[in-house]
Amino acid sequence: MLAVACTTGRKEAPTADKADSLPAMRLALLPNDDCLPFYYAAQSGLFDTLGLHVRIDTYFSQFDADTALLGQADAGYTDSCRIAYYHKNGKELLELMPTRGRWALVASGNLRIRKLSHLKKRMVAAARHSASDWLCRQMAAEANLPYEALYHPQINDWLLRTGMLDGNQVETAMLPEPFATQAGQKGHQRVWNRESTLGRIVTRRKNFDADALLRAYKQASDSLNKYGINSVRKILSDIYRLDRTAVDSFILYKY
């Protein structure tokens, strides 16, 4: 089914009627730097131009997205830590492409946490067996703190993780962009920043033809680099759920 959705066996794109009759390729995505080119490809009509009939399912919890990837989704986003975890537990996700994005440790603006040494015995909201947890370990190592010196409440949902900072329910949180920007606009403080290469576009289907999908990602990335933040304001507002001040302050990643 997916091979038909990606490649028709002819170089020309399907007609509108034929495209509508094809089964949609379902992508399980998260609203972060890494996935923004896919959202742009959908908004701009690039998927249609390449003859792809795509449905995007958005998740704010990576574990929910992974559940979709291991179930009905055809492809989507996860990270290398999750892939290793599933492999250890006898579940395979096939890597199609690495991605890059940005993360930050953000501390509550109500606390005087300005440097890594202040994190001892503090709460750091993240998710186990994931990029956020791996980055917490890297951060602790840089601070010469044992990982066990930090408290680790598991908060899987990125919106909830951000909201718990606002509600003083956690002291710090490991957040991807653009949620780190949104937190900063609400008065919280960045303590640590890192560009991550842990992201992966994956599928669980061994016969999945990814060429057109990855071509769409590359072309969308080039367009984002060319046209800038104005080309994705609606996506950031409607899908990523950023408020206007965060959209205005967000610095678009260079792909």
Side-chain angles (χ1 to χ4, degrees):
M1 176 182 74
L2 296 181
V4 173
C6 294
T7 58
T8 64
R10 296 186 293 272
K11 291 185 178 180
E12 70 270 23
T15 64
D17 289 341
K18 290 180 180 178
D20 290 342
S21 68
L22 293 174
M25 181 194 303
R26 294 183 62 175
L27 301 183
L29 302 181
L30 288 113
N32 59 3
D33 278 341
D34 307 60
C35 295
L36 189 56
F38 280 139
Y39 288 105
Y40 177 82
Q43 173 189 261
S44 66
L46 181 56
F47 281 139
D48 296 334
T49 300
L50 294 174
L52 291 172
H53 184 30
V54 174
R55 167 182 166 178
I56 294 178
D57 297 325
T58 296
Y59 301 89
F60 288 87
S61 164
Q62 187 171 340
F63 292 2
D64 290 343
D66 285 354
T67 298
L69 282 170
L70 294 168
Q72 297 302 312
D74 299 314
Y77 171 86
T78 189
D79 65 53
S80 57
C81 302
R82 298 298 296 163
I83 293 171
Y85 174 76
Y86 286 123
H87 178 75
K88 184 178 179 180
N89 288 276
K91 299 176 182 178
E92 296 292 336
L93 288 171
L94 306 176
E95 297 185 29
L96 301 177
M97 180 184 70
T99 63
R100 296 186 298 170
R102 297 164 294 177
W103 289 78
L105 181 80
V106 183
S108 170
N110 294 323
L111 301 174
R112 293 184 178 180
I113 300 175
R114 297 293 183 268
K115 52 186 180 180
L116 295 182
S117 59
H118 295 162
L119 294 174
K120 188 175 182 179
K121 296 184 179 180
R122 295 289 192 177
M123 290 187 293
V124 181
R128 288 190 295 273
H129 310 296
S130 73
S132 61
D133 183 58
W134 188 90
L135 290 166
C136 284
R137 293 177 184 274
Q138 295 299 306
M139 178 192 65
E142 289 182 24
N144 293 316
L145 289 173
Y147 182 71
E148 295 72 19
L150 311 176
Y151 300 134
H152 302 281
Q154 170 143 315
I155 312 297
N156 297 327
D157 187 296
W158 294 344
L159 278 180
L160 179 60
R161 206 180 294 174
T162 308
M164 290 180 76
L165 275 177
D166 299 336
N168 298 312
Q169 295 168 289
V170 295
E171 294 168 306
T172 69
M174 188 65 72
L175 295 172
E177 287 292 3
F179 295 99
T181 293
Q182 176 121 306
Q185 289 302 302
K186 294 186 177 182
H188 305 301
Q189 300 294 322
R190 290 173 182 260
V191 181
W192 184 82
N193 296 278
R194 184 65 78 244
E195 182 174 307
S196 168
T197 58
L198 297 173
R200 297 290 187 273
I201 303 303
V202 300
T203 182
R204 64 184 178 88
R205 303 182 186 277
K206 293 183 179 180
N207 63 342
F208 185 75
D209 186 345
D211 288 349
L213 182 66
L214 300 187
R215 187 161 65 250
Y217 188 95
K218 176 62 167 61
Q219 291 183 16
S221 297
D222 291 343
S223 293
L224 290 176
N225 290 337
K226 179 178 180 179
Y227 297 115
I229 189 68
N230 287 332
S231 63
V232 291
R233 284 182 175 274
K234 184 173 176 59
I235 295 171
L236 294 173
S237 175
D238 295 352
I239 300 175
Y240 283 46
R241 302 187 191 176
L242 297 192
D243 58 36
R244 183 172 180 178
T245 58
V247 173
D248 290 341
S249 301
F250 182 57
I251 298 174
L252 195 63
Y253 189 74
K254 291 297 183 182
Y255 294 93

